[in-house]
């Protein structure tokens, strides 16, 4: 559950600090939810590449415009822009 007491106080989970590979990050991603079924149904050999295609650039004007149109709060867009992920 991501060390809820730590998150509640604004700290990252302990495993994020102790991960020697630095593979654990926590942050906001904007993604194209309309394509999830398509990506989940793709051939396994294409899965990683296709999953990466779901992630949207939070600085792209068209992504920001669509997110706002979809009711995404400005603070979420800003968080995605500052996200380490």
């Amino acid at each position: 559950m991501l060390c809820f007491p730590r998150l509640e106080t604004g700290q990252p989970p302990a495993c994020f600090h102790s991960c020697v590979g630095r593979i654990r990050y926590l942050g906001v991603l904007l993604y194209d939810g309309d394509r999830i079924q398509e990506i989940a149904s793709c051939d396994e050999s294409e899965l990683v590449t296709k999953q990466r295609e779901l992630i949207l650039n939070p600085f792209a004007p068209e992504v920001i415009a669509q997110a706002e149109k979809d009711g995404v709060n400005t603070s979420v867009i800003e968080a995605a822009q500052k996200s380490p992920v």
Side-chain angles (χ1 to χ4, degrees):
M1 292 295 250
L2 290 176
C3 301
F4 181 73
R6 289 182 60 90
L7 291 175
E8 189 176 41
T9 60
Q11 301 174 67
C15 62
F16 286 31
H17 289 295
S18 63
C19 181
V20 295
R22 298 284 184 229
I23 61 171
R24 296 178 191 247
Y25 289 96
L26 180 65
V28 176
L29 287 176
L30 299 179
Y31 61 92
D32 187 350
D34 293 336
R35 294 189 60 210
I36 292 174
Q37 179 67 39
E38 167 199 343
I39 302 304
S41 303
C42 77
D43 185 81
E44 189 174 314
S45 65
E46 300 177 296
L47 195 54
V48 173
T49 302
K50 294 290 187 180
Q51 285 179 339
R52 288 181 178 154
E53 291 175 9
L54 283 177
I55 301 170
L56 304 174
N57 179 353
F59 294 99
E62 65 275 9
V63 171
I64 294 169
Q66 186 63 50
E68 289 173 344
K69 181 180 173 189
D70 292 342
V72 176
N73 191 295
T74 303
S75 65
V76 174
I77 297 168
E78 291 170 356
Q81 292 171 339
K82 295 175 185 175
S83 176
V85 294

